[in-house]
Amino acid sequence: MENFKGFLRSFVYAFRGIKYMSQNERNFRFHITFMAYMFGILSLSDWFTISRVEYAVLILTCGSVISAEVFNTALENTVNLAKEEHSEYGRISKDTAAGAVLVNAIFAVITLLGGLIYGKEAMGLGDVKLMGALGLYFGLSNIIVIA
């Protein structure tokens, strides 16, 4: 029974983190707002027709952007906790985490535009091939950091 209480408590902590993000992180609110507008327009408009698979890909892509933003905030706060004065390593850590969010957002836009404008998978699945090539080059343990 104690394990189940701990399991339920982990959801409380997770929702507390989401509440913190929505109250304190401007970029998180921007991504959520943009996502709501995008899905609202796609759902209500007859102009754009996307398949269920394309819709699922967009949901997963948006989820990865939001997750990257959450990881970025967690890393920034961890760096701030570890060292109060500014350091070059802290700046690099924060900048690269922010860069990961930006790369994620760029690929999300490419996915959206590729599906809506060209009516096919973004970049002709070139993005998938690129990630596969990066995985081969950097190895499975390092590709998680890149993706």
Side-chain angles (χ1 to χ4, degrees), residues 23-68:
Q23 291 175 341
N24 298 298
E25 294 298 323
R26 179 192 67 223
N27 290 341
F28 181 82
R29 291 190 303 268
F30 171 80
H31 291 304
I32 294 291
T33 303
F34 179 80
M35 192 173 68
Y37 278 118
M38 180 187 66
F39 284 115
I41 290 169
L42 289 176
S43 298
L44 299 175
S45 174
D46 291 336
W47 187 295
F48 302 110
T49 56
I50 62 173
S51 69
R52 286 187 279 170
V53 172
E54 290 169 328
Y55 207 78
V57 168
L58 283 176
I59 289 172
L60 289 172
T61 304
C62 289
S64 72
V65 172
I66 297 298
S67 296

Side-chain angles (χ1 to χ4, degrees), residues 12-129:
V12 171
Y13 299 147
F15 283 115
R16 191 169 60 192
I18 293 170
K19 180 181 175 186
Y20 172 84
M21 292 292 296
S22 64
Q23 291 175 341
N24 298 298
E25 294 298 323
R26 179 192 67 223
N27 290 341
F28 181 82
R29 291 190 303 268
F30 171 80
H31 291 304
I32 294 291
T33 303
F34 179 80
M35 192 173 68
Y37 278 118
M38 180 187 66
F39 284 115
I41 290 169
L42 289 176
S43 298
L44 299 175
S45 174
D46 291 336
W47 187 295
F48 302 110
T49 56
I50 62 173
S51 69
R52 286 187 279 170
V53 172
E54 290 169 328
Y55 207 78
V57 168
L58 283 176
I59 289 172
L60 289 172
T61 304
C62 289
S64 72
V65 172
I66 297 298
S67 296
E69 189 65 50
V70 172
F71 285 128
N72 179 40
T73 300
L75 182 105
E76 286 178 349
N77 287 323
T78 302
V79 168
N80 291 342
L81 180 66
K83 198 165 194 174
E84 289 191 21
E85 65 270 359
H86 294 285
S87 73
E88 186 66 16
Y89 292 123
R91 183 194 63 77
I92 291 169
S93 296
K94 290 179 177 186
D95 289 350
T96 53
V101 175
L102 180 61
V103 168
N104 229 322
I106 288 170
F107 273 96
V109 170
I110 290 171
T111 302
L112 174 66
L113 295 178
L116 294 179
I117 294 173
Y118 298 111
K120 62 180 183 179
E121 295 86 6
M123 297 181 353
L125 290 179
D127 48 350
V128 174
K129 294 174 187 172

